[in-house]
Amino acid sequence: MKPLIVICSHDAEFYLILSHVLAVDGFTSALASNVDEILHMTTETPVHALVLDCRPDNDMVQSCSRLTQDARTPPWSL
């Protein structure tokens, strides 16, 4: 099974480009639109890494601290 990378973004183009690059390098990817979806995914399947789209117009920067404090998120994935 290929390693799973969760990409959290509201930008479809960003996700499509990044997921294509990851697929070429042997990874599989999944899209999450918020932290709750990320945490749900981490309970169902092993997640090898998280990519957060931290643009000034979204709340991913604030969400990062929530992810680091949650036991379901491996500390090495951030």
Side-chain angles (χ1 to χ4, degrees), residues 56-70:
D57 61 339
N58 65 33
D59 65 345
M60 290 300 148
V61 174
Q62 294 87 2
S63 301
C64 194
S65 64
R66 182 173 164 207
L67 287 170
T68 59
Q69 295 172 2
D70 195 293

Side-chain angles (χ1 to χ4, degrees), residues 4-12 14-15 29-42 47 49-53 58-60 67:
L4 175 63
I5 310 289
V6 175
I7 302 168
C8 189
S9 178
H10 296 284
D11 185 343
F14 176 78
Y15 170 72
S29 61
L31 177 64
S33 61
N34 58 46
V35 174
D36 293 325
E37 285 184 24
I38 292 172
L39 294 174
H40 181 70
M41 285 182 193
T42 60
V47 173
L50 304 172
V51 176
L52 303 178
D53 183 4
N58 65 33
D59 65 345
M60 290 300 148
L67 287 170

Side-chain angles (χ1 to χ4, degrees), residues 5 8 12 16-17 21 25 38-39 45 48 57 63 72 76:
I5 310 289
C8 189
L16 290 173
I17 291 169
V21 170
D25 285 336
I38 292 172
L39 294 174
T45 55
H48 288 36
D57 61 339
S63 301
R72 294 174 285 183
W76 48 263

